[in-house]
Every structure is written in structure tokens, then in C-alpha cells.
Amino acid sequence: DTVILSNGLLVQALSRLPAQKQEMLYLSFFKRMPQHEIGRRYGRSRSAAGYHIRKVLRQLQAEMEGMAYEK
């Protein structure tokens, strides 16, 4: 699948993430895969998968804010 993103800061922030974290976000937001299935794929519970997705989202937000501040 191909995802086209128009926000340059988001693209940069995503590119800095490890592949597994990128995939978890992709599965959750673009494939609309339920958290229990994402958890199963990575050997985690639904709640652990949800925790990791929220953690990655906070990391992306902080990264984007840092990059915006640098400009």
C-alpha cells in the first residue's frame, strides 16, 4: 500500500521512527486494524498495543513540535 502525506513535518517525524512503530501506526490508522489484532501480531495484549500506539503518537507530536520550533 502507498500512503501519501502532505505534511512535511509529519513525514520527517515518521521517518525517524523505527519500522515496527511506523507499522503499528499504519495498521491502526490506515488499515483500521483493531488493537487486539495489532497486539496479536506483535505478541502483546490489546491494552499493551494501545499503550504503544499512544506512546508513539506522543513521540510524534513532540518530534513535530521540536522541528517546528527549530524553523
Side-chain angles (χ1 to χ4, degrees):
D1 295 343
T2 301
V3 176
I4 298 173
L5 301 171
S6 60
N7 185 312
L9 287 177
L10 178 58
V11 171
Q12 288 179 14
L14 281 169
S15 70
R16 295 179 183 186
L17 292 176
Q20 182 178 358
K21 290 181 179 183
Q22 289 179 23
E23 184 176 12
M24 288 179 84
L25 290 178
Y26 170 77
L27 293 172
S28 180
F29 290 98
F30 295 100
K31 294 299 255 183
R32 301 270 188 212
M33 184 180 285
Q35 289 180 357
H36 71 273
E37 289 182 28
I38 294 171
R40 188 176 314 133
R41 179 177 284 212
Y42 292 104
R44 297 184 174 135
S45 66
R46 182 213 51 83
S47 60
Y51 167 79
H52 286 286
I53 290 167
R54 288 187 302 277
K55 184 177 175 183
V56 172
L57 289 173
R58 286 190 303 271
Q59 183 180 353
L60 272 179
Q61 180 181 13
E63 190 78 31
M64 289 174 68
E65 287 174 355
M67 287 186 294
Y69 183 74
E70 291 171 4
K71 291 184 178 190

